[in-house]
Amino acid sequence: VPDPVEPLSPVKRTPKPSNKNASKTPSFKPLAFNEATILAEAQVTRNLDSKRLKWICRQSDFPLSKIFKSKKECTDAIKRGRVYVNQIAVLDDSRIVRENDTVSLVNEYASLHKSTEHVNLPDSDGPQDEMMGVKFVKFISLQKPQGTTLMIAYKPVGMRCFGSFCSNTLEMITKNYTALCRPGETPSCHPVSKLDTGCEGLCVMLTGTYKCDNGSLASMKINYKFSVLVHGEPTEQLKQGVYVAVPTNGIRLWKRQRISKEKQHKIKEGNNDFAISSSELDVDGSLFIQCQDTFHYGEGNETISTLTVQSRHDDGRLANIISYSLRKLGYPVVNDRFAKREFAALPRRMRNLLKQKVCICCHSIDIHIEGSITNVQVDAHKRTQCSYWRGIMPLP
């Protein structure tokens, strides 16, 4: 009879320290309470005892609710260190407050600016400031309308140009920055450029002491120049430069309905063939595409190319229209959500560096206004350049 097998004793494993509840370094470091400017302050009453901070700040009978226009704006203010409880900054929007606690809301940019990736920009004529990754590159004072200024800003990926519903939009950041530079005035801000949220690059903002609109700048035209990294080997015709009419299929439906009849003849409606033309077209309703560089990688000799795209089409979401046009031409933009198969074929090192960023940016603009042309240009982002990938990836 064989000896009975002794049951295996469970191995005692030392549990690894969990980082789930580890405190993370906040993106914003609040200032001392005595250095901040208080906008509103209130004391927690008995009926609000043991409630969460983000819920209390939005109650109609609480003074701070008159400042916050939305739940997101309230949450962002707390996480950015603008809300203090008993003179101590609170970064947790789920904080439980008790009766007789004092809740204070301080000025919008009392917190230190968020650390962002360095952006290579040339020397500008005006002051530089980093707010949520925004860089102000150039300031242009206009004679008509009097008292208005064009501010050229470089915005990061993930930031909206329009909107006063949140303090994180480019419109509100520019407006608050202007208010800091001009104390005592109540400036207004109007985004002239309508750059996509998922695209970084140069944007033109109009600021003044009165309500600005597009009607005051009807004579102004802006030529945008994008740098794009795409999949595929370009043709000789593309290296010389081609024109493609702006497709209405790349524009949102409600945008198509708003296109004026004057622009109808410049846009080929229902154009699914995307015929390219070497003859010069009006860039108000077309794209000028030209290849600048190519890079072969991998064992299969795959190719990526850097293209430049120019256009004065300014009905919004121009980066989306460019991506749509290049995709139909057989050159999908790297990391485009409609080109997942091509993205999966990229080397792992390249995929890890790209992450969620689409390889397109607006790095140059020409502003035609008051009979003059002003060029503003910055270095194109490195992820759109073949020279960058050539330096970090091995040759085939």
Side-chain angles (χ1 to χ4, degrees):
V1 179
D3 296 334
V5 180
E6 296 182 0
L8 295 176
S9 59
V11 179
K12 295 183 179 180
R13 298 175 182 246
T14 304
K16 295 182 180 180
S18 175
N19 294 328
K20 184 176 181 181
N21 298 324
S23 59
K24 298 181 180 180
T25 304
S27 301
F28 293 86
K29 182 181 178 182
L31 295 177
F33 183 78
N34 56 358
E35 298 178 3
T37 303
I38 301 176
L39 298 180
E41 193 172 58
Q43 199 169 31
V44 179
T45 57
R46 178 176 298 182
N47 61 322
L48 300 177
D49 183 35
S50 302
K51 302 294 183 182
R52 298 191 185 275
L53 180 60
K54 61 181 178 182
W55 183 86
I56 290 178
C57 291
R58 298 186 63 244
Q59 300 307 303
S60 58
D61 56 345
F62 201 68
L64 273 68
S65 63
K66 299 179 181 179
I67 299 178
F68 299 126
K69 299 179 181 179
S70 64
K71 181 179 179 181
K72 187 177 186 304
E73 186 176 347
C74 174
T75 304
D76 289 344
I78 297 174
K79 291 183 178 181
R80 295 175 61 191
R82 294 182 55 200
V83 179
Y84 290 72
V85 177
N86 297 330
Q87 301 186 3
I88 299 176
V90 178
L91 301 178
D92 183 11
D93 57 356
S94 299
R95 163 77 177 270
I96 302 295
V97 294
R98 304 305 302 268
E99 185 181 359
N100 297 327
D101 283 349
T102 302
V103 181
S104 307
L105 176 67
V106 301
N107 195 24
E108 186 160 2
Y109 290 108
S111 303
L112 295 180
H113 305 311
K114 185 176 181 181
S115 59
T116 55
E117 185 180 0
H118 176 69
V119 181
N120 294 324
L121 296 174
D123 294 334
S124 63
D125 297 339
Q128 297 273 345
D129 198 281
E130 291 187 9
M131 289 181 288
M132 299 295 294
V134 174
K135 293 269 190 176
F136 292 104
V137 182
K138 194 176 185 63
F139 300 82
I140 304 174
S141 299
L142 302 180
Q143 297 179 358
K144 295 180 181 180
Q146 190 175 4
T148 58
T149 303
L150 287 180
M151 301 176 62
I152 292 85
Y154 191 98
K155 85 169 188 68
V157 176
M159 178 177 292
R160 295 176 59 119
C161 290
F162 279 83
S164 58
F165 57 89
C166 177
S167 59
N168 296 341
T169 62
L170 182 60
E171 179 181 349
M172 292 303 298
I173 289 176
T174 306
K175 182 177 180 180
N176 285 282
Y177 177 78
T178 307
L180 291 176
C181 298
R182 301 175 181 177
E185 297 183 4
T186 306
S188 63
C189 178
H190 177 74
V192 180
S193 301
K194 308 175 184 69
L195 197 62
D196 307 53
T197 304
C199 177
E200 67 178 84
L202 297 173
C203 300
V204 181
M205 313 295 290
L206 176 65
T207 60
T209 55
Y210 65 95
K211 187 176 181 179
C212 305
D213 54 12
N214 277 331
S216 58
L217 295 174
S219 61
M220 183 177 67
K221 291 186 178 181
I222 304 176
N223 184 51
Y224 299 91
K225 188 175 182 180
F226 289 80
S227 179
V228 191
L229 187 70
V230 299
H231 299 274
E233 177 77 27
T235 61
E236 290 297 329
Q237 188 180 13
L238 192 61
K239 293 179 181 179
Q240 298 297 326
V242 295
Y243 289 86
V244 179
V246 173
T248 54
N249 292 340
I251 308 175
R252 289 180 176 177
L253 180 60
W254 64 276
K255 284 280 188 181
R256 301 180 210 172
Q257 298 172 352
R258 292 177 55 183
I259 297 177
S260 62
K261 294 183 179 180
E262 297 177 357
K263 295 184 179 181
Q264 293 274 340
H265 68 282
K266 299 179 182 179
I267 300 177
K268 296 181 180 179
E269 293 187 337
N271 183 13
N272 295 323
D273 297 330
F274 284 91
I276 59 179
S277 173
S278 299
S279 58
E280 185 176 354
L281 299 178
D282 189 359
V283 290
D284 286 347
S286 64
L287 310 174
F288 177 70
I289 307 172
Q290 188 175 21
C291 178
Q292 301 295 328
D293 193 9
T294 58
F295 172 53
H296 301 275
Y297 65 92
E299 298 178 357
N301 205 24
E302 293 86 355
T303 306
I304 54 176
S305 305
T306 298
L307 308 180
T308 56
V309 184
Q310 300 183 44
S311 180
R312 284 199 298 264
H313 180 76
D314 201 15
D315 283 335
R317 302 183 79 230
L318 184 54
N320 177 75
I321 295 174
I322 293 174
S323 299
Y324 179 82
S325 301
L326 292 175
R327 187 167 65 249
K328 292 299 181 181
L329 289 173
Y331 301 100
V333 180
V334 175
N335 218 357
D336 186 0
R337 62 191 181 100
F338 293 103
K340 294 183 179 179
R341 181 181 300 176
E342 292 83 356
F343 180 76
L346 293 174
R348 178 178 295 180
R349 177 171 174 78
M350 187 174 181
R351 298 198 307 268
N352 292 341
L353 291 174
L354 287 175
K355 296 182 179 179
Q356 301 289 332
K357 305 288 182 67
V358 182
C359 295
I360 181 172
C361 73
C362 178
H363 69 282
S364 177
I365 56 175
D366 293 326
I367 305 174
H368 302 252
I369 188 172
E370 296 179 354
S372 62
I373 302 177
T374 304
N375 175 262
V376 182
Q377 185 174 354
V378 299
D379 295 336
H381 199 282
K382 60 185 180 181
R383 66 170 172 268
T384 65
Q385 303 301 306
C386 289
S387 57
Y388 170 72
W389 300 110
R390 191 180 294 112
I392 66 173
M393 290 198 301
L395 296 175

